[in-house]
Amino acid sequence: MSLLRNYIPNPMCVDMANYLSSHGGVTNCTIVNVTSDYQPPSLYPGFGVETAADGDAWCAMTIPDAPRETPLVIAANMTPGDDQTSGPALFDQWMQVWGGDSTNWSVRGSLSKTGVSGEFTIPAGGQTPQIVFRSPAKAGQRIYIWNIYLGTKADWEALQGYAPGAPLAGSLMPL
């Protein structure tokens, strides 16, 4: 028996508009708080990112507890906006993990569709890592995101065995 851990500080997406504004930032987009308005529907809370004007649109969440020099994965459920015609993000990745210092600040891991990423590491030291959520490149288009996870691949696989598709808020000690 071991402790499963999700390093996302707000996995239940509570008041994401205010949370992202004060814990990372919002650029060229609006955050829409939603619970079960996804297509396909979900019982779990999440949020939408809607592009305000054509071009790169994103919001970020700092991850102060993310371990450094440890193989990690990111995972999430994501779907285009209500009309299902929302285009891709400007850089074809809906979710990215950024880390490093001021001379080596770059994408460490990314996810372009629902699922789980390959393993990546965040270098030791440097700035507080962030997860960046990118919206479609066209104004008015939206992507919905829920069940966000950042942690080890082994913890992600164990979580899927206990509660497939469910968010992990905080940590879990399986019985």
Side-chain angles (χ1 to χ4, degrees):
M1 178 168 23
S2 65
L3 181 69
L4 305 182
R5 178 84 195 262
N6 185 358
Y7 294 97
I8 297 294
N10 188 8
M12 297 303 285
C13 302
V14 176
D15 193 14
M16 284 300 276
N18 287 328
Y19 187 86
L20 291 169
S21 293
S22 61
H23 291 88
V26 176
T27 301
N28 190 30
C29 61
T30 303
I31 307 306
V32 181
N33 292 310
V34 291
T35 53
S36 60
D37 298 331
Y38 309 108
Q39 296 299 325
S42 172
L43 299 174
Y44 305 111
F47 66 103
V49 182
E50 184 173 312
T51 305
D54 286 2
D56 195 12
W58 56 272
C59 54
M61 175 191 298
T62 56
I63 316 163
D65 295 334
R68 309 308 203 284
E69 303 296 333
T70 301
L72 301 171
V73 297
I74 55 173
N77 289 336
M78 298 176 276
T79 190
D82 300 331
D83 62 7
Q84 299 295 310
T85 61
S86 290
L90 191 61
F91 300 105
D92 291 328
Q93 297 168 340
W94 298 114
M95 208 166 113
Q96 301 169 323
V97 174
W98 285 72
D101 59 30
S102 59
T103 61
N104 192 18
W105 183 249
S106 64
V107 175
R108 303 300 171 170
S110 63
L111 196 59
S112 59
K113 60 183 180 177
T114 291
V116 63
S117 74
E119 289 184 303
F120 60 91
T121 59
I122 299 170
Q127 301 177 40
T128 302
Q130 295 183 340
I131 286 191
V132 174
F133 305 98
R134 294 191 177 275
S135 188
K138 296 287 184 187
Q141 293 184 337
R142 180 184 295 183
I143 184 167
Y144 294 113
I145 304 164
W146 69 103
N147 292 357
I148 306 162
Y149 174 84
L150 172 70
T152 66
K153 185 175 183 179
D155 282 1
W156 171 253
E157 289 170 348
L159 174 63
Q160 297 313 296
Y162 292 110
L168 175 56
S171 55
L172 172 70
M173 178 67 80
L175 299 176

